[in-house]
Amino acid sequence: MKEYQLKINGNDLISIGFKGKDIGTALQKCLDAVMDGKVENNFDDLISSSFVFSEKKLEKIPIPENFSFQKEIVLRRSDIDFNNHVHNLFYLDFALEALPDEVYKNEQFSSIRITYKNAITEGEQVVARYAKLDAKHIVCIFSHDVVKTLVELG
């Protein structure tokens, strides 16, 4: 029998919100899937699969009612991919630009979550709005008053 060392561990699952026996259950199901050849033994695939294999549901990022700061984002040619959409990586850059200076300079973030609702395409007017909810920093990226992307920094 071949031995496997999973590329994730319990601490990885705890950092994304798993608790108690859900951790062991998800790890066992990930191991079974790797052994059966259904999932690659790499961090990203295993983290994604851990939600499929568990009863754990990731809470939605809330849309704040009020925002304390906003910044207009001017799209650059280099922000646009070959499908004429903003490349996914740049949404985090937009969120960081929208943070108030004191948050950007003084906070140390240990988690980032991004929910992509709709693509932003070349030529759209984009505004990133910031609010703090509980201990999380939320940036909503809008185009024409429609939420396109939510970014949560914790």
Side-chain angles (χ1 to χ4, degrees), residues 43-128:
F43 183 85
D44 291 334
D45 288 351
L46 290 169
I47 288 293
S48 296
S49 297
S50 64
F51 284 100
V52 174
F53 296 143
S54 77
E55 300 298 316
K56 174 97 176 107
K57 299 288 186 217
L58 196 57
E59 292 179 24
K60 290 184 178 183
I61 299 173
I63 299 173
E65 290 182 24
N66 299 302
F67 297 93
S68 61
F69 187 79
Q70 78 173 28
K71 180 166 180 96
E72 183 176 334
I73 304 295
V74 177
L75 295 179
R76 303 168 303 166
R77 185 180 312 165
S78 60
D79 295 334
I80 306 298
D81 64 20
F82 291 108
N83 293 317
N84 203 35
H85 301 124
V86 169
H87 191 285
N88 288 350
L89 294 175
F90 291 109
Y91 289 95
L92 179 58
D93 291 341
F94 298 165
L96 294 173
E97 287 296 322
L99 295 175
D101 286 341
E102 66 275 1
V103 173
Y104 182 80
K105 291 176 183 174
N106 299 321
E107 292 284 335
Q108 291 186 355
F109 303 114
S110 61
S111 67
I112 298 169
R113 291 196 311 143
I114 301 176
T115 299
Y116 302 98
K117 293 188 163 285
N118 293 297
I120 295 174
T121 57
E122 187 175 17
E124 290 189 51
Q125 301 296 316
V126 179
V127 176

